Coordinates of all heavy atoms in Angstrom, one line a residue:
M1 N 87.0 123.1 81.2 CA 87.5 123.1 82.5 C 88.9 122.5 82.6 O 89.1 121.4 82.1 CB 86.5 122.4 83.4 CG 86.9 122.3 84.9 SD 85.6 121.4 85.8 CE 85.6 122.3 87.2
S2 N 89.8 123.2 83.1 CA 91.2 122.7 83.2 C 91.3 121.8 84.4 O 90.7 121.9 85.4 CB 92.2 123.9 83.3 OG 92.0 124.5 84.5
Q3 N 92.3 120.9 84.3 CA 92.5 119.9 85.3 C 93.7 120.4 86.2 O 94.6 121.0 85.7 CB 92.9 118.6 84.6 CG 92.9 117.4 85.6 CD 93.1 116.1 84.8 OE1 92.9 116.1 83.6 NE2 93.6 115.1 85.5
R4 N 93.6 120.1 87.5 CA 94.6 120.7 88.4 C 95.9 119.9 88.5 O 96.9 120.4 88.5 CB 94.0 120.7 89.8 CG 93.0 121.7 90.0 CD 92.5 121.6 91.4 NE 91.9 122.9 91.8 CZ 91.4 123.1 93.0 NH1 91.3 122.2 93.9 NH2 90.8 124.3 93.3
G5 N 95.8 118.6 88.5 CA 97.0 117.7 88.6 C 97.1 116.7 87.6 O 96.3 116.7 86.6
P6 N 97.9 115.7 87.8 CA 98.1 114.6 86.8 C 96.8 113.8 86.7 O 96.0 113.7 87.7 CB 99.2 113.8 87.4 CG 99.3 114.1 88.8 CD 98.8 115.5 88.9
R7 N 96.6 113.3 85.6 CA 95.4 112.5 85.3 C 95.4 111.1 86.1 O 96.5 110.5 86.1 CB 95.2 112.2 83.8 CG 93.9 111.7 83.4 CD 93.7 112.0 82.0 NE 92.3 111.7 81.7 CZ 91.3 112.5 81.6 NH1 91.5 113.8 81.9 NH2 90.1 112.2 81.4
A8 N 94.3 110.8 86.7 CA 94.3 109.5 87.5 C 94.3 108.3 86.6 O 93.8 108.4 85.5 CB 93.0 109.5 88.4
V9 N 94.9 107.2 87.1 CA 95.0 106.0 86.3 C 93.6 105.4 86.2 O 92.8 105.4 87.2 CB 95.9 105.0 87.1 CG1 95.9 103.6 86.4 CG2 97.3 105.5 87.2
V10 N 93.2 105.0 85.0 CA 91.8 104.5 84.8 C 91.8 103.0 85.3 O 92.7 102.3 85.0 CB 91.5 104.5 83.3 CG1 90.1 103.8 83.0 CG2 91.5 105.9 82.8
V11 N 90.8 102.7 86.1 CA 90.7 101.4 86.7 C 89.6 100.7 85.9 O 88.4 101.1 85.9 CB 90.4 101.4 88.2 CG1 90.1 100.0 88.7 CG2 91.5 102.1 88.9
V12 N 90.0 99.5 85.3 CA 89.0 98.7 84.6 C 89.0 97.3 85.2 O 90.1 96.7 85.4 CB 89.4 98.6 83.1 CG1 88.4 97.7 82.3 CG2 89.4 100.0 82.4
L13 N 87.9 96.8 85.6 CA 87.8 95.6 86.3 C 87.2 94.5 85.4 O 86.3 94.7 84.6 CB 86.8 95.7 87.5 CG 87.2 96.7 88.6 CD1 86.1 96.7 89.6 CD2 88.5 96.4 89.2
S14 N 87.8 93.3 85.5 CA 87.2 92.1 84.9 C 86.0 91.7 85.8 O 85.9 92.1 86.9 CB 88.2 91.0 84.8 OG 88.5 90.5 86.0
D15 N 85.2 90.8 85.3 CA 84.1 90.3 86.0 C 84.6 89.6 87.3 O 84.0 89.7 88.4 CB 83.2 89.3 85.2 CG 82.5 90.0 84.1 OD1 82.3 91.3 84.2 OD2 82.0 89.3 83.1
D16 N 85.7 88.8 87.2 CA 86.2 88.1 88.3 C 86.8 89.1 89.4 O 86.6 88.9 90.6 CB 87.3 87.1 87.9 CG 86.8 85.9 87.1 OD1 85.6 85.7 87.2 OD2 87.6 85.3 86.4
E17 N 87.5 90.1 88.9 CA 88.0 91.1 89.8 C 86.9 91.8 90.6 O 86.9 92.0 91.8 CB 88.9 92.1 89.1 CG 90.2 91.6 88.6 CD 90.9 92.5 87.7 OE1 90.3 93.3 87.0 OE2 92.2 92.4 87.7
F18 N 85.8 92.2 89.8 CA 84.7 92.9 90.4 C 84.0 92.0 91.5 O 83.7 92.5 92.6 CB 83.6 93.3 89.4 CG 82.4 93.9 89.9 CD1 82.5 95.3 90.2 CD2 81.3 93.2 90.2 CE1 81.4 95.9 90.8 CE2 80.2 93.9 90.8 CZ 80.2 95.2 91.1
A19 N 83.9 90.7 91.2 CA 83.3 89.8 92.2 C 84.1 89.7 93.4 O 83.6 89.7 94.5 CB 83.0 88.4 91.5
E20 N 85.4 89.5 93.2 CA 86.3 89.3 94.4 C 86.4 90.6 95.2 O 86.3 90.6 96.4 CB 87.7 88.9 93.9 CG 88.7 88.6 95.0 CD 88.3 87.3 95.7 OE1 87.4 86.6 95.3 OE2 88.9 87.0 96.8
L21 N 86.5 91.8 94.6 CA 86.5 93.0 95.3 C 85.2 93.3 96.1 O 85.2 93.7 97.2 CB 86.8 94.2 94.4 CG 88.2 94.3 93.8 CD1 88.3 95.3 92.7 CD2 89.2 94.6 94.9
S22 N 84.1 92.9 95.5 CA 82.8 93.1 96.1 C 82.7 92.2 97.3 O 82.2 92.5 98.4 CB 81.7 92.7 95.1 OG 81.6 93.6 94.1
R23 N 83.2 91.0 97.2 CA 83.3 90.0 98.3 C 84.1 90.6 99.5 O 83.7 90.6 100.6 CB 83.8 88.7 97.9 CG 83.6 87.5 98.8 CD 84.0 86.2 98.2 NE 85.5 86.1 98.1 CZ 86.3 85.8 99.1 NH1 85.8 85.6 100.3 NH2 87.6 85.7 98.9
W24 N 85.3 91.1 99.1 CA 86.2 91.7 100.2 C 85.5 92.9 100.8 O 85.6 93.0 102.0 CB 87.5 92.1 99.5 CG 88.4 91.0 99.1 CD1 88.2 89.6 99.3 CD2 89.6 91.1 98.4 NE1 89.3 88.9 98.7 CE2 90.1 89.8 98.2 CE3 90.3 92.2 97.9 CZ2 91.3 89.6 97.5 CZ3 91.5 92.0 97.2 CH2 92.0 90.7 97.0
A25 N 84.9 93.7 100.0 CA 84.3 94.9 100.5 C 83.1 94.6 101.4 O 82.8 95.4 102.4 CB 83.8 95.8 99.4
G26 N 82.5 93.5 101.2 CA 81.4 93.1 102.0 C 81.7 92.4 103.3 O 80.9 92.1 104.1
G27 N 83.0 92.3 103.6 CA 83.5 91.8 104.9 C 84.1 90.5 104.9 O 84.4 89.9 105.9
A28 N 84.4 89.9 103.7 CA 85.0 88.6 103.6 C 86.6 88.7 103.7 O 87.3 87.8 103.4 CB 84.7 87.9 102.3
A29 N 87.0 89.9 104.1 CA 88.5 90.1 104.3 C 88.7 91.0 105.5 O 87.8 91.5 106.1 CB 89.0 90.8 103.0
S30 N 90.0 91.2 105.8 CA 90.4 92.1 106.9 C 89.8 93.5 106.7 O 89.5 93.9 105.5 CB 91.9 92.2 107.0 OG 92.4 92.9 106.0
P31 N 89.6 94.3 107.7 CA 89.1 95.7 107.5 C 90.0 96.5 106.6 O 89.4 97.3 105.8 CB 89.1 96.2 108.9 CG 89.0 95.0 109.8 CD 89.8 93.9 109.1
R32 N 91.3 96.3 106.6 CA 92.1 97.1 105.7 C 91.9 96.7 104.3 O 91.8 97.6 103.4 CB 93.6 96.9 106.0 CG 94.1 97.5 107.3 CD 95.6 97.2 107.4 NE 96.1 97.8 108.6 CZ 97.3 97.7 109.1 NH1 98.2 96.9 108.4 NH2 97.7 98.3 110.2
L33 N 91.8 95.4 104.0 CA 91.6 95.0 102.7 C 90.2 95.3 102.2 O 90.0 95.7 101.0 CB 91.8 93.4 102.6 CG 92.0 92.8 101.2 CD1 93.1 93.5 100.4 CD2 92.3 91.3 101.3
A34 N 89.3 95.3 103.0 CA 87.9 95.7 102.7 C 87.9 97.2 102.3 O 87.2 97.6 101.3 CB 86.9 95.4 103.8
E35 N 88.6 98.0 103.0 CA 88.6 99.5 102.7 C 89.3 99.7 101.3 O 88.8 100.4 100.5 CB 89.4 100.2 103.8 CG 89.5 101.7 103.4 CD 90.3 102.4 104.5 OE1 91.5 102.2 104.6 OE2 89.7 103.2 105.2
R36 N 90.4 99.0 101.1 CA 91.1 99.1 99.8 C 90.2 98.6 98.6 O 90.2 99.2 97.6 CB 92.4 98.3 99.8 CG 93.3 98.8 100.8 CD 94.5 97.8 101.1 NE 95.2 98.3 102.2 CZ 96.2 97.5 102.8 NH1 96.4 96.3 102.4 NH2 96.8 98.0 103.9
A37 N 89.4 97.6 98.9 CA 88.5 97.1 97.9 C 87.4 98.1 97.6 O 87.1 98.3 96.4 CB 87.8 95.7 98.3
R38 N 86.9 98.7 98.6 CA 85.9 99.8 98.4 C 86.4 101.0 97.6 O 85.8 101.5 96.7 CB 85.3 100.3 99.7 CG 84.3 99.3 100.3 CD 83.6 99.9 101.6 NE 84.5 100.2 102.7 CZ 84.9 99.3 103.6 NH1 84.4 98.0 103.5 NH2 85.7 99.6 104.6
I39 N 87.7 101.3 97.9 CA 88.4 102.4 97.1 C 88.5 102.0 95.7 O 88.1 102.8 94.8 CB 89.8 102.7 97.7 CG1 89.6 103.3 99.1 CG2 90.6 103.5 96.8 CD1 90.9 103.4 99.9
V40 N 89.0 100.8 95.4 CA 89.1 100.4 94.0 C 87.8 100.3 93.2 O 87.7 100.7 92.1 CB 89.9 99.1 93.9 CG1 90.0 98.6 92.4 CG2 91.4 99.3 94.4
L41 N 86.8 99.8 93.9 CA 85.5 99.7 93.3 C 84.9 101.1 92.9 O 84.4 101.3 91.9 CB 84.5 99.0 94.2 CG 84.7 97.5 94.3 CD1 83.8 96.9 95.5 CD2 84.3 96.8 93.0
A42 N 85.1 102.1 93.8 CA 84.7 103.4 93.6 C 85.5 104.0 92.4 O 84.9 104.7 91.6 CB 84.8 104.3 94.8
C43 N 86.8 103.8 92.4 CA 87.6 104.3 91.3 C 87.1 103.7 89.9 O 87.1 104.4 88.9 CB 89.1 103.9 91.5 SG 89.8 104.9 92.9
A44 N 86.8 102.4 89.9 CA 86.3 101.7 88.7 C 85.0 102.3 88.2 O 84.7 102.3 87.0 CB 86.2 100.3 89.0
G45 N 84.3 102.9 89.1 CA 83.0 103.6 88.8 C 83.2 105.0 88.1 O 82.3 105.6 87.7
G46 N 84.5 105.4 88.0 CA 84.8 106.6 87.3 C 85.0 107.8 88.2 O 85.2 108.9 87.7
A47 N 84.9 107.7 89.5 CA 85.0 108.8 90.4 C 86.4 109.3 90.5 O 87.4 108.5 90.4 CB 84.5 108.4 91.8
S48 N 86.6 110.6 90.8 CA 87.9 111.2 91.0 C 88.5 110.7 92.3 O 87.8 110.3 93.2 CB 87.8 112.7 90.9 OG 87.1 113.2 92.1
N49 N 89.8 110.9 92.5 CA 90.4 110.6 93.8 C 89.8 111.4 94.9 O 89.6 110.9 96.0 CB 91.9 110.9 93.7 CG 92.7 109.8 92.9 OD1 92.1 108.9 92.4 ND2 94.0 109.9 92.8
A50 N 89.5 112.7 94.7 CA 89.0 113.5 95.7 C 87.6 113.0 96.1 O 87.3 113.0 97.3 CB 88.9 115.0 95.2
R51 N 86.8 112.6 95.2 CA 85.5 112.2 95.5 C 85.5 110.8 96.2 O 84.8 110.6 97.2 CB 84.6 112.0 94.2 CG 83.2 111.6 94.5 CD 82.4 111.7 93.3 NE 81.0 111.4 93.7 CZ 80.0 111.5 92.9 NH1 80.2 112.0 91.7 NH2 78.8 111.2 93.3
V52 N 86.3 109.9 95.8 CA 86.5 108.6 96.4 C 87.0 108.8 97.9 O 86.5 108.2 98.8 CB 87.4 107.7 95.6 CG1 87.7 106.4 96.4 CG2 86.8 107.3 94.3
A53 N 87.9 109.7 98.0 CA 88.5 110.0 99.3 C 87.4 110.5 100.3 O 87.3 110.1 101.4 CB 89.6 111.1 99.2
A54 N 86.6 111.4 99.8 CA 85.5 111.9 100.6 C 84.5 110.8 101.0 O 84.0 110.7 102.1 CB 84.8 113.1 99.9
E55 N 84.1 110.0 100.0 CA 83.2 108.9 100.2 C 83.7 107.8 101.2 O 83.0 107.3 102.0 CB 82.8 108.2 98.9 CG 82.0 109.1 98.0 CD 81.8 108.5 96.6 OE1 82.2 107.3 96.4 OE2 81.1 109.1 95.8
C56 N 85.0 107.6 101.1 CA 85.6 106.5 101.9 C 86.2 107.0 103.2 O 86.7 106.2 104.0 CB 86.6 105.7 101.1 SG 85.9 104.8 99.7
G57 N 86.3 108.3 103.4 CA 86.9 108.8 104.6 C 88.4 108.7 104.7 O 89.0 108.5 105.8
V58 N 89.1 108.8 103.6 CA 90.5 108.7 103.5 C 91.1 109.9 102.8 O 90.3 110.7 102.2 CB 91.0 107.4 102.9 CG1 90.6 106.1 103.7 CG2 90.5 107.2 101.4
S59 N 92.4 110.0 102.7 CA 93.0 111.1 101.9 C 93.0 110.8 100.4 O 93.0 109.6 100.0 CB 94.4 111.4 102.4 OG 95.3 110.4 102.1
S60 N 93.2 111.8 99.6 CA 93.3 111.6 98.2 C 94.6 110.9 97.9 O 94.6 110.1 96.9 CB 93.3 113.0 97.5 OG 92.1 113.6 97.6
A61 N 95.6 111.1 98.7 CA 96.9 110.4 98.5 C 96.7 108.9 98.7 O 97.3 108.1 97.9 CB 98.0 110.9 99.4
T62 N 95.9 108.5 99.7 CA 95.6 107.1 99.9 C 94.9 106.5 98.7 O 95.2 105.4 98.3 CB 94.8 106.9 101.2 OG1 95.6 107.4 102.3 CG2 94.4 105.5 101.4
V63 N 93.9 107.2 98.2 CA 93.2 106.7 97.0 C 94.1 106.5 95.8 O 94.1 105.5 95.2 CB 92.0 107.7 96.7 CG1 91.3 107.2 95.4 CG2 91.0 107.7 97.8
G64 N 95.0 107.5 95.6 CA 95.9 107.4 94.5 C 96.9 106.3 94.7 O 97.2 105.6 93.7
K65 N 97.3 106.0 95.9 CA 98.2 104.9 96.2 C 97.5 103.6 95.8 O 98.1 102.7 95.0 CB 98.6 104.9 97.6 CG 99.3 103.7 98.1 CD 99.6 103.7 99.6 CE 100.2 102.5 100.2 NZ 100.5 102.7 101.6
W66 N 96.3 103.3 96.2 CA 95.7 102.0 96.0 C 95.2 101.9 94.6 O 95.2 100.8 94.0 CB 94.6 101.8 97.0 CG 95.2 101.6 98.4 CD1 95.0 102.5 99.4 CD2 96.1 100.7 98.8 NE1 95.7 102.0 100.5 CE2 96.4 100.9 100.1 CE3 96.7 99.6 98.2 CZ2 97.4 100.2 100.9 CZ3 97.6 98.8 98.9 CH2 97.9 99.1 100.2
R67 N 94.8 103.0 94.0 CA 94.4 103.0 92.5 C 95.6 102.6 91.7 O 95.5 101.7 90.8 CB 93.9 104.4 92.1 CG 93.5 104.5 90.6 CD 93.4 105.9 90.2 NE 92.2 106.6 90.8 CZ 91.1 106.7 90.1 NH1 90.9 106.2 88.9 NH2 90.1 107.4 90.7
S68 N 96.8 103.2 92.0 CA 98.0 102.9 91.2 C 98.4 101.5 91.4 O 98.8 100.8 90.5 CB 99.1 103.8 91.6 OG 98.7 105.1 91.2
R69 N 98.4 101.0 92.7 CA 98.9 99.7 93.0 C 98.0 98.6 92.3 O 98.5 97.6 91.8 CB 98.9 99.4 94.5 CG 100.1 100.0 95.1 CD 100.4 99.3 96.4 NE 101.4 100.0 97.2 CZ 101.7 99.7 98.4 NH1 101.1 98.8 99.1 NH2 102.7 100.4 99.0
F70 N 96.7 98.9 92.3 CA 95.8 97.9 91.6 C 96.0 97.9 90.1 O 96.1 96.9 89.5 CB 94.3 98.3 91.9 CG 93.4 97.3 91.2 CD1 93.1 96.1 91.8 CD2 92.8 97.7 90.0 CE1 92.3 95.2 91.2 CE2 92.0 96.8 89.4 CZ 91.7 95.5 89.9
A71 N 96.3 99.1 89.5 CA 96.5 99.2 88.1 C 97.7 98.4 87.7 O 97.8 97.8 86.6 CB 96.6 100.6 87.7
V72 N 98.8 98.4 88.5 CA 100.0 97.7 88.2 C 100.0 96.2 88.6 O 100.4 95.4 87.8 CB 101.2 98.4 89.0 CG1 102.5 97.6 88.8 CG2 101.4 99.8 88.5
R73 N 99.4 95.9 89.8 CA 99.6 94.5 90.3 C 98.2 93.8 90.4 O 98.2 92.6 90.8 CB 100.2 94.5 91.6 CG 101.6 95.1 91.6 CD 102.3 94.9 92.9 NE 103.1 96.1 93.2 CZ 103.4 96.6 94.4 NH1 103.0 95.9 95.5 NH2 104.1 97.7 94.6
G74 N 97.1 94.4 90.1 CA 95.8 93.8 90.2 C 95.5 93.5 91.7 O 95.9 94.3 92.6
L75 N 94.7 92.5 91.9 CA 94.3 92.2 93.3 C 95.4 92.0 94.3 O 95.3 92.4 95.4 CB 93.4 90.9 93.3 CG 92.0 91.0 92.5 CD1 91.4 89.7 92.5 CD2 91.1 92.0 93.2
A76 N 96.5 91.4 93.8 CA 97.7 91.1 94.7 C 98.2 92.4 95.2 O 98.8 92.5 96.3 CB 98.7 90.3 94.0
G77 N 98.1 93.5 94.5 CA 98.6 94.8 94.9 C 97.9 95.4 96.1 O 98.4 96.4 96.7
L78 N 96.7 94.9 96.4 CA 96.0 95.5 97.5 C 96.3 94.8 98.8 O 96.0 95.3 99.9 CB 94.5 95.3 97.2 CG 93.9 96.0 96.0 CD1 92.4 95.8 95.9 CD2 94.3 97.5 96.0
K79 N 97.0 93.7 98.8 CA 97.4 93.0 100.0 C 98.6 93.6 100.7 O 99.4 94.2 100.0 CB 97.6 91.5 99.7 CG 96.3 90.8 99.2 CD 96.5 89.4 98.9 CE 95.2 88.8 98.5 NZ 95.3 87.4 98.1
D80 N 98.7 93.4 102.0 CA 99.8 94.0 102.7 C 101.1 93.3 102.3 O 101.2 92.1 102.0 CB 99.6 93.7 104.2 CG 98.6 94.6 104.8 OD1 98.5 95.8 104.4 OD2 97.9 94.2 105.8
E81 N 102.1 94.1 102.2 CA 103.5 93.7 101.9 C 104.2 93.4 103.1 O 104.0 94.1 104.2 CB 104.2 94.7 101.0 CG 103.6 94.9 99.7 CD 104.3 96.0 98.8 OE1 105.1 96.8 99.4 OE2 104.1 96.0 97.6
P82 N 105.2 92.5 103.1 CA 106.0 92.3 104.3 C 106.7 93.6 104.7 O 107.2 94.4 103.9 CB 107.1 91.3 103.9 CG 106.5 90.7 102.6 CD 105.6 91.7 102.0
R83 N 106.8 93.8 106.0 CA 107.4 95.0 106.5 C 108.8 94.7 107.0 O 109.1 93.6 107.4 CB 106.6 95.6 107.7 CG 105.2 96.0 107.2 CD 104.5 96.7 108.3 NE 103.1 97.1 107.8 CZ 102.8 98.2 107.3 NH1 103.7 99.1 107.1 NH2 101.5 98.4 106.9
P84 N 109.7 95.7 107.0 CA 111.1 95.4 107.5 C 111.1 95.2 109.0 O 110.2 95.6 109.7 CB 111.8 96.7 107.0 CG 110.8 97.7 107.0 CD 109.5 97.0 106.6
G85 N 112.2 94.5 109.4 CA 112.4 94.3 110.8 C 111.8 93.0 111.4 O 111.2 92.2 110.6
R86 N 111.9 92.8 112.6 CA 111.5 91.6 113.3 C 109.9 91.6 113.4 O 109.3 92.7 113.6 CB 112.0 91.5 114.7 CG 113.4 91.2 114.8 CD 113.8 91.0 116.2 NE 115.2 90.6 116.3 CZ 115.8 90.4 117.5 NH1 115.1 90.5 118.6 NH2 117.1 90.1 117.5
R87 N 109.4 90.4 113.3 CA 107.9 90.3 113.5 C 107.7 90.4 115.0 O 108.6 90.1 115.8 CB 107.5 88.9 113.0 CG 107.6 88.8 111.5 CD 107.1 87.5 111.0 NE 107.9 86.5 111.7 CZ 108.4 85.4 111.1 NH1 108.1 85.2 109.8 NH2 109.1 84.5 111.7
K88 N 106.5 90.8 115.4 CA 106.2 90.9 116.8 C 106.3 89.7 117.5 O 106.8 89.7 118.7 CB 104.7 91.4 116.9 CG 104.5 92.9 116.5 CD 103.1 93.3 116.8 CE 102.9 94.7 116.3 NZ 101.6 95.2 116.5
S89 N 106.0 88.5 116.9 CA 106.2 87.2 117.6 C 107.6 87.0 118.0 O 107.9 86.2 118.9 CB 105.6 86.1 116.7 OG 106.4 86.0 115.5
E90 N 108.6 87.5 117.2 CA 110.0 87.3 117.5 C 110.5 88.2 118.7 O 111.5 88.0 119.3 CB 110.8 87.6 116.3 CG 110.6 86.6 115.2 CD 111.4 87.0 113.9 OE1 112.0 88.1 113.9 OE2 111.3 86.2 113.0
L91 N 109.7 89.2 119.0 CA 110.1 90.2 120.0 C 109.6 89.7 121.4 O 110.1 90.2 122.4 CB 109.5 91.6 119.7 CG 110.1 92.2 118.5 CD1 109.4 93.5 118.2 CD2 111.6 92.4 118.6
V92 N 108.6 88.8 121.5 CA 108.1 88.3 122.7 C 109.0 87.3 123.3 O 109.5 86.4 122.7 CB 106.7 87.7 122.5 CG1 106.2 87.2 123.8 CG2 105.7 88.8 122.0
L93 N 109.4 87.5 124.6 CA 110.3 86.6 125.2 C 109.6 85.6 126.1 O 108.7 85.7 126.6 CB 111.3 87.4 126.1 CG 112.2 88.3 125.3 CD1 113.1 89.1 126.3 CD2 113.1 87.6 124.3

């Protein structure tokens, strides 16, 4: 069977990473971080981006983004990065 696109990055978890991601996915983190943890856990189980996307209710591009970020930066790659511009608290007068 031929493959349609580029091969997905293989996600391998250490015991500590698995434990932390499971904790986050169980609700010990913000909803966004919990969703990202569930995505990475599913990827570590060997599922394709399309399958993880269907299971998690997100797009394949979203799965690819978080799979890649985790592969490069580990757990820190799943956390929100600072956004450009003023923070909301600075806009309130």
Side-chain angles (χ1 to χ4, degrees):
M1 180 180 216
S2 66
Q3 191 173 341
R4 288 182 160 176
R7 194 157 187 96
V9 176
V10 176
V11 174
V12 179
L13 302 176
S14 69
D15 291 340
D16 291 340
E17 289 171 331
F18 180 81
E20 188 68 8
L21 288 169
S22 296
R23 194 174 72 77
W24 290 353
S30 69
R32 285 182 181 176
L33 195 54
E35 178 181 68
R36 295 168 192 168
R38 284 189 295 274
I39 289 169
V40 172
L41 286 168
C43 290
S48 68
N49 285 1
R51 183 170 184 171
V52 173
E55 290 174 1
C56 294
V58 297
S59 70
S60 292
T62 297
V63 174
K65 172 183 177 177
W66 295 115
R67 180 192 289 264
S68 296
R69 282 202 190 170
F70 180 81
V72 172
R73 299 185 220 156
L75 294 173
L78 301 182
K79 296 183 178 176
D80 286 325
E81 295 178 343
R83 298 189 183 265
R86 288 185 179 179
R87 293 180 300 226
K88 288 182 182 181
S89 61
E90 295 173 354
L91 297 175
V92 177
L93 299 175

